Amino acid sequence: MTMVQPSETQTAEGPAAPRSSPDFRETLLRWGTRLEQFLDYAGDRLNPILVKEARQSMKSKQFSVTFSLLLILSWMWTAIFVAFSVPDVFYEAWGTRLLIGYIIILSIPLFIVVPFAAFRSLAAETEDGTFELLSITSLSARQIVLGKLGSAVLQMMVYYSALAPSIAFTYLLKGVDIVSIGLLLLHTFVISVVLSILGLLAATITRARHWQVLVSVVLIAGLLFATFLADYFFIVMAIVGLPFDMPEFWMANLGLLNFWIAFGALFLIIASGQISFASDNRSTPIRMMLLLIQTMWIGWMFFLWRWNSEMYAEVFPWMMVYFAAIFWLVAGALLTGETAQLSPRAKRNLPQTLSGRVLLTWFNPGSASGYTFAMLNLATVIGTQFLAYTNIALFSSPQLQNVPGPLHTVVNSLLISRPFPDDDGWFWASLAAWGYVAGYLGTVRLFTTLARKYAPLNMLAVFLLQLVVVVMGAILPFLFLTIQTIGDPLSWHYSELQLPNWFWTMWELTWPTTRTTISPFIPGGVFAFGCLIFLLNLLSAAVEVEQVRTLAPARVREDDASLRPLEPKKRKNPWDEP
Amino acid sequence: MSHPMIELRRLHRFFGTTRAVNDVSFEVQRGEVFGFIGPNGAGKTTSMRILATLELPTYGDAFVDGFSCINDPDRVRRRLGFMPDYFGTYTDVNCYEYLDFFARSYGLAGRQRHQALQHTMGFTKLDELAHKPIRGLSKGMKQRLCLGRAMIHDPAVLILDEPANGLDPRARIELREMIRELAANGKSVLVSSHILTELAEMCDRVGIIERGQLLAVGTVEEIQHEQQPHREVKVRVLGGAEGARAWLVGRSDVNDVTLVGEELKFSHQGDRDSEVVLLREMILAGFRVAEFASHSQSLEDVFMAVTKGIVQ
């Protein structure tokens, strides 16, 4: 930093008075230096990818063109709206219409341009060979993905700021309040972030250029569809009006945001895992996130079950199990595609204690551990449902309700005051749901484990195989029945032959009219088959469970010691050695 | 505990049925420049990419400063600078921004980053090009920029894949000097090149690889000695050449003596010291030796002798 010396300028009348006092200039310089130091300090803490992308994007044509078009479109919309709405706009609540127009204009860069730019940004790194250079720096895969996402968010902010004056203008009109504006903008932001994460995830799916082209076409189609859906949703909301006085409205918003963020985080972790080094443990963070999503799902469903009126309350336990079954079927199909081989690097962090090994082994990478993890989690969801109904049955029983004195208060405080289901359909349906997921996932896993001894099968191949088997499991028995009953339409009805047809069986087990008539042997049989397959898989999981922690090599320990020298021992009590 | 800065231990890398790297082992010590020579498709780049933690070996392991490239890639990356055989540059950034980005990516902050940038730009003579857009750089300038990127975090090990490829003679000489200077500063350098004369001048040792197999490792002389234990010697004797021929034929360490005019040619089994002894003995025997020259093979000769030109 060059210090500017205070100087005096010579004038015709003699030495001129100093322009400002030296004290003031020094103070100014001191503050300038401090500001510079602070900015340097803050800049050092920013993600390097964000810094680089910000430098690049501000110079890029794509950004300049999008920004200019956004401004031109918003000005055009303002001019057209004002021209056609005056003088009605002064008397009627037309502000919402103007706002929706801006939101739709904003949705083009936010839902299409920014996510696609995020995709291209990461894909171009691979194409230009810069990704390899990036991957050998000290940046972690997560930092790379977060940096790209940060750059997308930065672009979003610039686009928001471009439309900020126009959006502020709508507030001056009738029909729009600050909460509506804030909520709509929040939704556009969250949707844009999640779409950008999906764009980044799409860029990590493949590194082959021809596949990248296909992925980019699918992504654009998806983004256009998402934009259409989102804009449709915003228009409907604007026409119907935002029901701020309804608690359900806020709950739906909160729930949506919660799951947008949760799934956004999950996709972010998966994208990071895709570009991380092959010997890294990619699986454990994904499994932890899956568990978190499940916990949130149980929490939401439990809350809605307790909070809703008795008429609708029964829906939520059913929803909780069914969506969890679909969730774990999809997640399990991916987890069972993992290989059982643990890298020595991953083995260094395996749990050591007995309780650690019992509880945490299922977080380790591996096909069998992944299958067991999925099934135990689905069992937890069903267990929660079972516990909730047991609570009602137990604490509302006459024996416990008639206990005298303070015990009665305890019983009532523990009782979940919800109606007990009229029939046991929930029980059989849940068992069947678990049985189907365990049966289908487990059967394909056993087959792929065997097939891997002869040919390499990657995760995508296993996932596709799972998908084909699950879909065929529903279609083939149905086709068989259709062929069997040609010319005899009266015998076209559900029978035990449809046991592999999970869709039809679950349909029959769900609706009150059919679930009471279906034989318990059908869901019982599905559950028993699921249990058998689960046990067979559990036997093959022994290899993965037997893995034990290995000690890091001496050179690594030596390096760790040099990076983190032993801290001086602190005295924890008066008798400790100083 | 001392360990080599680079170590390839029984490294294998297969692509389907192609054995790109097949049981390659060698070591590079601190401050050493090691040349990796081989025809196209010999396995040089694959070995280097494994060392740079860009690929996993099928069997075996590679180590940088004692750390496994498979199990401790993050520790390896902190100690390693890799310059691939492609540029890998960004558009819409200038040289300073490019190097600044990589300095940040290697975790350099504040004064440390500024100093690293200053030093690197000075070393690679990029100071004057700092604010020039990368897309406007010549090939030589881009090579220097890429070398700057590889050394921005002051790594102990540098892996340079064909760094002199496409450079003009002046740029090559400058690059050679830079590499020697890096080695003099204690860096271990693994460098591959097709220009064998360049490598011969800058490398302490070389490894010759073909069809994924390491055929020879050592100094050029060592490999030469291994390939051809005797040296071709040419002696011009003023008068008495016939006598000298007879005297040489009588020696056990001399073979294939031929005489053309005053010039005697023969193969001598022994090293340079024994050549000095032979010369002294010839003079003591009374021969008027006007010229005594031994011909050592060039790296190109050694390369041609060792390799068979088979491409997989």
Side-chain angles (χ1 to χ4, degrees), chain B residues 166-218:
Chain B
L167 295 187
D168 62 39
R170 188 179 184 82
R172 273 185 207 167
I173 293 166
E174 283 176 358
L175 184 76
R176 192 176 67 204
E177 284 168 1
M178 281 182 206
I179 292 173
R180 283 298 342 163
E181 197 179 330
L182 286 167
N185 291 335
K187 314 275 181 219
S188 305
V189 185
L190 175 64
V191 56
S192 75
S193 178
H194 284 125
I195 305 149
L196 303 182
T197 47
E198 292 284 328
L199 281 183
E201 286 180 44
M202 73 169 100
C203 296
D204 300 307
R205 288 193 308 138
V206 294
I208 300 175
I209 186 170
E210 188 175 42
R211 295 186 77 191
Q213 285 184 309
L214 198 63
L215 303 177
V217 185

Side-chain angles (χ1 to χ4, degrees), chain A residues 229-243:
Chain A
L229 280 184
D231 286 347
Y232 181 77
F233 169 75
F234 292 138
I235 292 168
V236 169
M237 290 306 275
I239 293 168
V240 174
L242 303 176

Side-chain angles (χ1 to χ4, degrees), chain A residues 498-519:
Chain A
Q498 295 301 317
L499 266 180
N501 188 343
W502 51 272
F503 185 81
W504 198 355
T505 308
M506 291 312 294
W507 183 275
E508 295 283 321
L509 285 169
T510 305
W511 299 108
T513 48
T514 50
R515 73 184 182 215
T516 45
T517 58
I518 203 163
S519 160

Side-chain angles (χ1 to χ4, degrees), chain A residues 43-44 52 55-56 59 125 129-130 132-136 138 277-279 344-345 348 555-556 559-560, chain B residues 3 49 52-53 56 65 70-73 75 77 79 86 88 90-92 97 100-101 104-105 110 113:
Chain A
D44 283 341
K52 190 264 293 177
R55 280 171 173 163
Q56 268 184 296
K59 292 179 196 171
E125 298 270 10
T130 47
E132 290 197 335
L133 302 180
L134 264 185
S135 65
I136 57 169
S138 305
F277 193 62
S279 67
R345 179 181 165 84
R348 287 182 203 161
R555 182 75 184 98
V556 173
D559 189 46
D560 280 342
Chain B
H3 44 256
R49 285 173 61 79
T53 70
L56 283 177
D65 195 11
I70 304 173
N71 296 315
D72 298 293
R75 291 172 208 263
R77 287 165 184 171
R79 290 157 172 86
Y86 54 85
Y90 293 105
T91 52
D92 297 323
E97 288 170 344
D100 178 68
F101 165 61
R104 286 171 189 269
S105 301
R113 191 178 73 245

Side-chain angles (χ1 to χ4, degrees), chain B residues 131-147:
Chain B
H131 298 289
K132 192 168 177 171
I134 290 178
R135 59 170 173 261
L137 296 183
S138 69
K139 198 166 186 179
M141 290 171 188
K142 277 188 184 169
Q143 289 284 55
R144 276 193 272 156
L145 182 66
C146 290
L147 178 64

